Structures are given as C-alpha cells and as structure tokens.
C-alpha cells in the first residue's frame, strides 16, 4: 500500500486495528483520534491559510519560510496553488510534518477552471438549473484534476447595485432565483457527497450582505435592517446550507457597525446555531486583521480573539491566528474547546475528501491532462454560453441573420478580442494554453456560408477617446447588408474592487455606434459586460441588441449560434437594468409606498423623479425570443385555500411563432395586506419549457404555505391569512394573466 498514514493512524494501527478497519470507523472518531495527538501549535496551524507565491488575489505578505512552516505543521491550507505537480510538491512538505495532516488547496474557481464558462450573472440569466449545475460539475472535474480540493464559490450575494463590480459574480437581485442557483452550484461542485474524485468542496460566500455595500463601492459598509437581511440577503445562504455546502466564507464589510468576520450573530447564532451548519468558516483575505481598520478592535491580538469567538474557523492570510491564538489560550481569553471545535470542523472535511487516506489523490498529472483536454467540456461551455445570452431587442425580426447574407460588417473592439471574453475570474492554468478561446470573429466565420463576405474593422478601443478608426469602420459598414457591432467593457472593469460610478459604455464606443447608425444600414449590437450597463441611446436606436456578458472560452461559437439562429435565445435578466445611475438601487420587488409610483411626475402624489422615469430600461425577468408565446387558460384549483392545503395553478403556453423555442414562465405573488407591508410582486416559481413552433403545453405550479410566508413583525417565518394576487408573466413587467385567491385562517 503506498498511502502515507498520519501518525495518529499509525499509532492506532499498532495498538489495535488494521488500516482498513480504521477506515471503517466513523469520521468523527477518526477526527477525535487525530485531535488527541495534536499540540496547541499544530491545532492553530490548521486554522491558518496562506497564499502560494505563484499568483495573488489580495495584498501579499511575503513569507520567506513558508515551506518550513508547512513542514512544521503550521499551515492548514494554501490558496492559489494550482496544478497536479505544484500541489503535490507542497503536499510533500506537509507530509514531512509530525502529524502528517494534509493541506487543503483552495482556489477561486468561479466560472470554470481551464474551460471558462460564462460569468455567474450571465449563467443566472439562463434560469436553467441543469445547465448551471453542469457548468459547476465541469469546473469541479477540471479543478480537482489539477489538485484543487476546494473552490471559493458560489458567491451567493444578492446584488441590486450595478455600480458594484461584483454583481458579475452572483446570481442577481432575487432571493428565490438566487436560492435555486445557490443549490444548483453547490450540488454541481460537490456532487452527491464529498470525496468523489471529480468534485471539490464548495464555499458559500460572502457571509453576509456584502452585495449591499453603500454606494456600490466594494468593501464598503452595509447598513441594513434585520428584516431585509432575513428576507432578501440570507435565503441563498440558507439554501446553500440545505444543499450541504462544505464551507462558508465571511465577508469584508461591516453590517450595522459590526464586521462580518467578527460577527457572532451571523456566524454563531444564525449559521452554526439556528441553521446547524457543520462545515467550517474561512475569513476573506486578510479580513481578520482588517477589523483594526474598521475600528472594532485595537490590535491583531484582539482581532484574533474577536474572529475566533464569533465563529470564524480559518484565517485567510492575515496571520492573526497564527501569531496570537497561543497567547490568547494561555491568557484564558480563548477556551481550548473553541480551538478544538474549529480544528475538528477542518479535519472533518479533510477526512471526507479522503486526504487522510491518500493526500495525493487529487495530484495526478495523467488525469489532469485528460480532464483539461476533454473535448466534451468545450461543447458544454458552448451550450451554456448560448443559454446565457439575452435578446433585448429585435426590431422587425432582424435576427436571426441569414447565414447566406451577402456581406456582413463585423465591427468593434471586441470582435477579435481573446482574453476579454473570459471575464474577471479566468484562471491561468500552469502549463496549459489559456488562450484557448474562440473569438467572436472566429465563431462567426465558422458559421456563415462560403458565399458570405465578412468584413472587419475595429473602429476604436474599449477605452480612450481616439476616433481614428471611425472612417474605416464607416466605409466597411457602407459595403454591408447588415452591421454587427461588438462593444462593451474590458473583462476587468467588473469584478473584485472594480466598482464604477459611471456605468455607460466606456470610451467612444457609443459615438462609433452613432456613426454607423448614420449609414442607414441595419445594425445589431452585441454588448459584452460584467454588469448591467446604461446605454439608452443604443437601446432606442439599434435594430437588435444581444446582451452577451462575458461568455468564456466558447464565446465566439455561442454568439454565432444565436446570431444565425442555431440557438433561439431563451435567457431572461436576473437583474434589473437601470436607465440612469440615479435610479440605483432599482429592483422589481419594491413596496407600493403610501403614494405609489405610477410613472407620471405629479409630485405630492407619487414617489417619482422630476427628471427621470421611475421605470428601468429592462426589467428583471425580461428577455426576448425569435418566436412568440401566447399565455392562456389560467386556472386555480380553488379561490380559497387552508394553510395546510396546496393551491394548484395551471396555465397554457403556445408557441405562435415560426421558430422552436424556450420560454421562462414566471409566477409572481403579492400578499395584499400584511402585518408588514409586502412587495408589489415577488417571484415564487417559474418553469422553463421548450415548445416547437405551433406547439402548446399546459404547465402546473403548486402554491403552498411556504410560498405564502414571510418574516412577520416578530421576525418569525409565517403566512398570514388574507387575499393574494397571483400573476403569470413573461417578465416582471410583462404580466400576461392574473387572478386572486384567499388564504383562510
Ligand atoms: C477576496 C475575495 O473577496 C474572495 O471572494 C476570494 O475568494 C478571496 N479574495 C481569495 O481569492
């Protein structure tokens, strides 16, 4: 047997049992037997996570003796350490330590590993849980083959402010959709059960309310009522716990003056208490030490005390635990039981991953090559990318473009871009060609017929004010039957620490659009971005618009699939698109107010702006198809239900256009009178259905007490008797059918 056994196991073996017998023991017993043999310093080592020197995703602290610390058992985990070879070499160091406790390798595998998938916000727009799960599965397959045990994903932060650069990393604005996506991503990364060779541990982050940073400024404070926290920001985290997520990450922000990292209410009372979470919590990068800057603790000694007491088990990169916990225990400030609890949680996961049986089981160079070169992964990425593209406008059915169009002008700074398609969290896998990206040019070229003349001009850069390329672009456009213009953000304009106060299309790209528009040729605009941008002029004047986000390795093929009709777009926005920054925060599930907004600017009578519409440019749930759907025959099983009964709702959808297509049928509810005012609309269910041209289907929804409940005045989850509006629509602002029902006492 070539497995390396930990010291504890060797001792146990010698005493009483064979290795196989030990493997049969419940993990909790195996954890205890290891814990029993550990010194305080070794225990604290398990709570310490360092960055590898290869790359960094935060402010670096240089450690000349990292290797020595690892072989002394002073480090429990490394992040940003990739590849079977590199992870193996660090693991070998850990195996030199007295206890031979394996390292955990963590990595931000956010939207793919080698095969890059669409950014999470884009994938969320697919409303397709199977696709989202599959994308996480492929990422887990590749990452685990590259030695990774743990991804810092999914980010399940609700986000309603597109100035915040990290809107790209979550599932948008809605707690119901966000919760389903949290579950799908956790299940995708972790598979059925931890320990599978193709899966990694997931990490629900950032706990909590990080997405509500004031002003959309990353890392900023959050000021939030308990009700908003429970109703809107916590549900996706709870869904992740229910799906069996292995770990949580706390967050950089403070909530109402208490940093999340040192927040007992969040981590001990809610997460580990009320929700019974048995995994472990890691801090965000340096966030334990940053509590000094917040002004909540005086020094690093107090920071370590505050974080460990509040329930943060592992310290990412701040070194506060490593340098202060021994002293804190000796000073009787931190009970040993608290340290043991944190270590136990971490060891438990190392056992579940099978690392005590074989610390190198994920460091297999042969398997790595196979997984990273699996052609199936590109095919899946292409499908998921096509499902993430949102058709925002299609005047006179300009799209799909015919593959036999005589001349197409493909213009813009993103047409031939490579890396830009990958989005913020792309990963440079060592030894692998990470320029493995199908450009938009290549994708379109592959798709059109041999007779089509495809012309190109860059026009301008993404940023800057240089218009030298405009003349060439206009001359190319004039020769074409149709213009396709690809513009947007650079991939690193949204992401961590990428907040923007102006969220228009950068540089002179909108001016380029105006010049092209003046040619009078039909124009399709592709907008590539990590957040909702504001582009009112283009929205008003382009003939067709596809919001392509950042789609990953297969961007070019997926865009071509949609442009030329091989895939009929089906995505719907998971986040509201404002008309101007002044409208932010803007989201569909708002309250009615005492002077409800009607859209006319009659002040004193309604909650509106003098200088701006109250309506968004594109609402949550909005997205077009090349075909059309008619909704009919809304039926409710009863006009009244008791709280132990289920209301059955059925509706018929017909594809009345000439293309096969998919529709996301959305069900919203409004509780008309509540002890706490309820939003004018809340998404409570949806169904994504495929219909052939001319086909119709009847779909059913079930409404039970759970869907009618909310946090009442005492913050208890309960349903109150009374009347409800039920709305079925193609978008939150396109309700096609309505009815009412009553919940009885
Ligand atoms: C900071 C980010 O907030 C977090 O999401 C990420 O996982 C860590 N850095 C590690 O890269």
């Amino acid at each position: 047997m070539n497995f390396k056994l930990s010291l504890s196991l060797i001792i146990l073996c010698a005493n009483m049992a064979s290795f196989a017998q030990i493997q049969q023991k419940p993990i909790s017993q195996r954890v205890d037997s290891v814990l029993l043999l550990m010194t305080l310093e070794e225990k604290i080592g398990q709570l310490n996570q360092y960055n590898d020197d290869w790359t960094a995703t935060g402010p670096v602290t240089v450690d000349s003796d990292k290797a020595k610390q690892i072989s002394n058992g002073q480090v429990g985990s490394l992040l940003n350490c990739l590849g079977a070879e590199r992870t193996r070499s660090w693991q070998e160091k850990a195996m030199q330590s007295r206890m031979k406790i394996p390292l955990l390798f963590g990595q931000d595998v956010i939207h793919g590993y080698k095969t890059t998938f669409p950014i999470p916000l884009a994938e969320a727009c697919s409303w397709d849980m199977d696709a989202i799960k599959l994308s996480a599965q492929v990422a887990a397959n590749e990452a685990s083959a590259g030695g990774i045990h743990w991804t810092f994903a999914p980010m399940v932060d609700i986000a309603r402010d597109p100035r915040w650069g990290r809107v790209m990393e979550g599932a948008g604005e809605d707690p119901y959709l966000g919760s389903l996506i949290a579950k799908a991503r956790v299940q995708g990364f972790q598979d059925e059960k931890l320990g599978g060779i193709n899966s990694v541990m997931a990490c629900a982050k950032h706990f909590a309310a990080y997405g509500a940073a004031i002003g959309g400024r990353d890392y900023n404070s959050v000021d939030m009522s308990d009700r908003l926290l429970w109703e809107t920001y916590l549900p996706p985290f709870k869904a992740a716990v229910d799906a069996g997520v292995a770990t949580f990450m706390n967050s950089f922000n403070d909530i109402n003056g208490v940093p999340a990292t040192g927040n007992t209410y969040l981590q001990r009372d809610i997460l580990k208490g009320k929700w019974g979470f048995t995994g472990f919590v890691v801090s965000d990068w340096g966030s334990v030490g940053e509590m000094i800057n917040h002004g909540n603790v005086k020094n690093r000694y107090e920071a370590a005390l505050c974080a460990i007491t509040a329930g943060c088990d592992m310290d990412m990169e701040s070194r506060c635990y490593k340098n202060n916990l021994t002293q804190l225990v000796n000073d009787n400030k931190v009970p040993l039981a608290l340290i043991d609890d944190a270590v136990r949680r971490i060891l438990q996961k190392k056992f579940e991953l099978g690392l005590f049986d074989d610390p190198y089981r994920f460091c297999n160079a042969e398997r790595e090559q196979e997984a990273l070169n699996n052609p199936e992964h590109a095919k899946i990425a292409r499908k998921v990318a096509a499902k993430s593209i949102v058709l925002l406008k299609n005047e006179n059915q300009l799209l799909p473009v015919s593959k036999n169009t005589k001349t197409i002008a493909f213009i813009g700074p993103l047409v031939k871009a490579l890396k830009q398609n990958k989005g913020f969290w792309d990963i440079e896998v060592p030894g692998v060609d990470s320029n493995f990206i199908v450009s938009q040019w290549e994708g379109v070229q592959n798709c059109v017929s041999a007779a089509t003349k495809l012309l190109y001009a860059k026009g301008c850069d993404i940023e800057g004010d240089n218009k030298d390329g405009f003349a060439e672009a206009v001359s190319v456009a004039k020769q074409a039957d149709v213009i396709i213009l690809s513009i947007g953000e650079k991939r690193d304009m949204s992401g961590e620490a990428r907040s923007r106060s102006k969220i228009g299309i950068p540089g002179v790209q909108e001016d380029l659009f105006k010049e092209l528009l003046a040619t009078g040729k039909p124009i399709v605009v592709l907008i590539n971005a990590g957040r909702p941008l504001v582009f009112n002029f283009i929205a008003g004047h382009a003939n067709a618009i596809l919001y392509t986000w950042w789609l990953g390795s297969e961007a070019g093929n997926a865009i071509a699939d949609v442009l030329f009709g091989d895939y009929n777009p089906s995505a719907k926005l998971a986040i509201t698109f404002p008309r101007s920054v002044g409208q932010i925060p803007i989201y569909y599930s708002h309250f009615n107010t005492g002077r409800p907004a009607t859209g006319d600017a009659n002040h004193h009578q309604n909650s509106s702006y003098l200088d701006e519409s109250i309506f968004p440019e594109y609402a949550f749930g909005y997205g077009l198809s090349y075909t059309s759907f008619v909704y009919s025959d809304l039926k409710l099983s009863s006009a009244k239900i008791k709280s132990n009964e289920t209301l059955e709702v059925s509706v018929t959808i017909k594809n009345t256009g000439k293309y096969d297509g998919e529709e996301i049928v959305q069900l919203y509810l409004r509780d008309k009178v509540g002890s706490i005012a309820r939003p004018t609309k809340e998404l409570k269910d949806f169904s994504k259905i495929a219909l052939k041209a001319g086909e119709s289907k009847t779909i059913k929804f079930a409404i039970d007490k759970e869907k009618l409940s909310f946090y009442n005045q005492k913050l208890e989850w309960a349903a109150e008797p009374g009347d409800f509006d039920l709305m079925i629509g193609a978008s939150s602002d396109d309700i096609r059918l309505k009815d009412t029902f009553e919940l009885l006492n």
Side-chain angles (χ1 to χ4, degrees):
M1 183 181 311
N2 65 358
F3 296 157
K4 297 219 174 186
L5 302 178
S6 75
L7 182 60
S8 58
L9 296 178
I10 293 169
I11 291 167
L12 282 172
C13 276
N15 281 346
M16 31 150 321
S18 71
F19 180 63
Q21 276 173 314
I22 287 166
Q23 276 186 310
Q24 308 275 301
K25 283 183 173 247
I27 285 180
S28 60
Q29 281 183 27
R30 298 178 77 190
V31 168
D32 282 343
S33 64
V34 175
L35 201 64
L36 213 60
L37 297 164
M38 292 171 77
T39 64
L40 178 59
E41 204 196 14
E42 283 163 342
K43 289 178 183 175
I44 292 168
Q46 287 304 302
L47 313 185
N48 183 31
Q49 184 186 51
Y50 282 160
N51 187 53
D52 185 8
D53 304 317
W54 180 70
T55 183
T57 45
V60 180
T61 309
V62 182
D63 263 303
S64 49
D65 67 342
K66 201 170 278 173
K68 196 158 143 237
Q69 291 187 46
I70 291 176
S71 53
N72 282 343
Q74 292 169 304
V75 182
S77 172
L78 284 180
L79 77 148
N80 289 326
C81 172
L82 306 179
E85 209 181 298
R86 194 167 175 96
T87 49
R88 174 178 286 274
S89 76
W90 281 120
Q91 200 66 290
E92 280 167 356
K93 291 267 177 306
M95 288 304 113
Q96 290 165 15
S97 66
R98 190 183 77 92
M99 288 298 296
K100 304 194 188 313
I101 298 177
L103 288 167
L104 274 180
F105 298 109
Q107 181 69 33
D108 291 289
V109 184
I110 309 293
H111 47 106
Y113 184 73
K114 180 210 169 191
T115 309
T116 313
F117 279 80
I119 56 168
L121 182 57
E123 270 187 13
C125 294
S126 73
W127 299 47
D128 184 329
M129 299 311 132
D130 292 338
I132 290 171
K133 190 171 164 185
L134 194 55
S135 148
Q137 264 165 346
V138 171
N141 179 292
E142 292 185 359
S144 60
I148 304 300
H149 308 133
W150 177 22
T151 174
F152 304 129
M155 185 185 101
V156 302
D157 297 307
I158 294 296
R160 297 178 161 184
D161 189 335
R163 292 171 298 182
W164 189 50
R166 294 191 88 168
V167 287
M168 54 82 52
E169 204 177 327
E173 75 183 48
D174 185 65
Y176 177 76
L177 181 61
S179 298
L180 292 180
I181 292 175
K183 177 179 170 194
R185 291 201 165 123
V186 168
Q187 289 179 339
F189 286 128
Q190 296 191 169
D191 235 338
E192 296 289 293
K193 186 167 168 281
L194 283 189
I197 193 71
N198 290 317
S199 64
V200 292
M201 293 200 292
C203 178
K205 71 186 190 185
H206 305 81
F207 198 56
Y210 180 46
I214 294 172
R217 215 151 37 82
D218 208 2
Y219 316 131
N220 206 1
S221 294
V222 170
D223 191 17
M224 181 177 286
S225 70
D226 242 16
R227 175 168 318 285
L228 187 60
L229 180 70
W230 278 93
E231 238 173 54
T232 303
Y233 287 83
L234 292 186
F237 287 102
K238 175 64 166 51
V241 172
D242 292 344
V245 72
T247 70
F248 258 57
M249 185 185 290
N250 55 38
S251 55
F252 288 125
N253 57 287
D254 72 85
I255 305 182
N256 308 332
V258 181
T261 303
N263 200 310
T264 303
Y265 175 55
L266 287 174
Q267 297 170 107
R268 289 244 179 254
D269 300 350
I270 300 177
L271 180 61
K272 292 177 177 175
K274 200 172 164 61
W275 293 350
F277 174 66
T278 55
F280 70 88
V281 180
V282 63
S283 78
D284 204 340
W285 183 299
S287 68
V288 176
E290 287 175 13
M291 288 196 290
I292 302 169
N293 293 343
H294 277 284
N296 296 81
V297 295
K298 204 159 66 186
N299 49 35
R300 299 167 74 76
Y301 174 88
E302 283 188 9
L305 171 63
C306 177
I308 192 88
T309 308
C312 171
D313 301 302
M314 186 181 274
D315 173 4
M316 182 193 287
E317 265 292 319
S318 94
R319 289 153 176 77
C320 288
Y321 280 12
K322 175 176 176 285
N323 297 330
N324 296 282
L325 280 181
T326 310
Q327 191 59 45
L328 280 160
V329 172
N330 292 339
D331 293 348
N332 290 324
K333 294 269 176 57
V334 171
L336 194 57
L338 215 63
I339 306 278
D340 283 353
D341 176 59
V343 177
R344 208 177 257 120
R345 287 168 181 269
I346 293 164
L347 294 183
Q348 170 85 21
K349 294 301 162 204
K350 292 185 175 182
F351 269 107
E352 285 175 25
L353 288 167
L355 296 175
F356 274 93
D357 300 333
D358 178 4
Y360 304 107
R361 66 190 290 250
F362 296 94
C363 321
N364 176 337
E366 219 172 283
R367 181 187 150 218
E368 181 179 34
Q369 278 315 308
E370 221 173 276
L372 300 191
N373 294 302
N374 185 339
E376 282 310 305
H377 293 180
K379 287 187 198 153
I380 297 170
R382 179 176 182 160
K383 283 198 182 132
V384 177
K387 282 170 186 271
S388 306
I389 299 174
V390 191
L391 176 63
L392 294 179
K393 185 173 184 187
N394 196 15
E395 218 171 52
N396 302 326
Q397 296 284 300
L398 174 61
L399 290 173
V401 175
S402 161
K403 288 184 186 170
N404 297 317
T405 305
K406 250 171 79 196
T407 311
I408 297 174
F410 200 7
I411 296 172
L414 285 148
V415 173
K416 291 197 174 177
L418 289 174
K419 280 280 269 186
Q420 301 299 352
N421 292 292
K422 291 193 106 184
F424 185 78
W425 286 106
D426 78 302
I427 296 177
E428 295 272 353
V429 179
V432 165
D433 176 14
S434 49
N435 280 335
F436 153 80
I437 302 155
V438 181
S439 73
Q440 300 177 15
W441 177 257
E442 210 184 317
V444 167
Q445 225 178 12
N446 291 342
C447 210
V448 291
S449 75
T452 301
K453 205 156 134 202
L454 193 57
L455 305 175
Y456 167 73
K458 185 174 177 197
C460 62
D461 290 326
I462 294 173
E463 290 177 291
D465 53 10
N466 189 336
K467 297 184 178 178
D468 291 353
F470 279 23
E472 187 202 6
V474 169
S475 115
V476 161
K478 282 183 176 160
Q479 300 166 47
D481 301 299
V482 61
I483 305 166
I484 303 171
L485 174 66
S486 184
I487 54 177
E489 290 189 306
K490 280 163 85 172
R491 58 174 272 278
D492 57 1
M493 283 179 164
S494 22
E496 186 180 344
R498 302 297 194 275
S499 294
R500 289 173 65 200
S501 67
K502 300 179 191 69
I503 55 169
I505 309 265
V508 292
Q509 297 178 95
E510 199 159 311
D511 294 337
L512 174 64
F513 169 79
K514 288 179 182 162
E515 297 274 328
L516 299 176
L517 187 70
T519 64
K521 302 282 182 174
I523 178 161
V524 179
V525 182
L526 310 178
I527 302 182
N528 309 260
R531 55 157 62 81
L533 293 174
V534 170
F535 49 95
N536 302 338
F537 185 83
I538 293 177
H541 294 84
N543 302 99
I545 304 173
L546 289 168
Y547 214 79
T548 59
W549 308 102
W550 294 123
L551 294 171
S553 319
E554 287 291 318
N557 283 332
I559 287 173
D561 288 341
V562 169
L563 278 173
F564 298 98
D566 289 333
Y567 182 77
N568 184 354
S570 63
K572 305 260 189 183
L573 297 175
I575 188 167
T576 303
F577 276 44
R579 276 168 206 262
S580 63
V581 169
Q583 291 183 317
I584 298 170
I586 183 168
Y587 47 91
Y588 83 93
S589 61
H590 55 78
F591 288 156
N592 206 30
T593 80
R595 297 186 178 187
T598 54
D600 79 69
N602 185 355
H603 47 282
H604 294 315
Q605 278 179 34
N606 80 56
S607 149
S608 58
Y609 297 110
L610 284 180
D611 58 352
E612 180 59 278
S613 155
I614 53 158
F615 299 113
E617 187 69 55
Y618 300 108
F620 173 83
Y622 173 81
L624 302 172
S625 162
Y626 295 153
T627 190
S628 49
F629 300 99
V630 168
Y631 289 51
S632 67
D633 293 326
L634 174 61
K635 289 195 186 103
L636 274 55
S637 57
S638 169
K640 297 174 197 292
I641 54 161
K642 296 196 192 121
S643 66
N644 60 352
E645 290 175 344
T646 299
L647 180 77
E648 279 184 15
V649 178
S650 70
V651 60
T652 301
I653 315 293
K654 180 166 189 189
N655 180 345
T656 51
K658 48 183 190 355
Y659 297 93
D660 299 349
E662 290 157 278
E663 174 69 326
I664 300 168
V665 183
Q666 301 157 43
L667 185 152
Y668 296 89
L669 289 182
R670 177 178 178 189
D671 186 343
K672 292 180 78 171
V673 180
S675 56
I676 295 292
R678 306 306 306 141
T680 51
K681 228 172 257 156
E682 287 177 281
L683 181 74
K684 291 291 176 179
D685 212 339
F686 64 88
S687 174
K688 185 167 188 173
I689 50 164
L691 291 172
K692 300 237 171 277
E695 191 187 3
S696 55
K697 265 185 200 162
T698 297
I699 50 174
K700 288 193 168 35
F701 298 105
I703 309 286
D704 59 9
K705 189 177 162 198
E706 182 65 19
K707 289 203 155 65
L708 305 178
S709 297
F710 64 93
Y711 289 100
N712 65 17
Q713 281 193 345
K714 292 185 197 147
L715 268 186
E716 290 159 347
W717 183 246
E720 293 178 358
D723 292 334
F724 288 80
D725 285 336
L726 182 142
M727 295 156 271
I728 303 277
S731 153
S732 64
D733 71 346
D734 182 9
I735 299 302
R736 305 280 180 91
L737 299 165
K738 283 186 193 171
D739 207 336
T740 56
F741 66 93
E742 187 186 347
L743 176 67
L744 299 170
N745 250 322

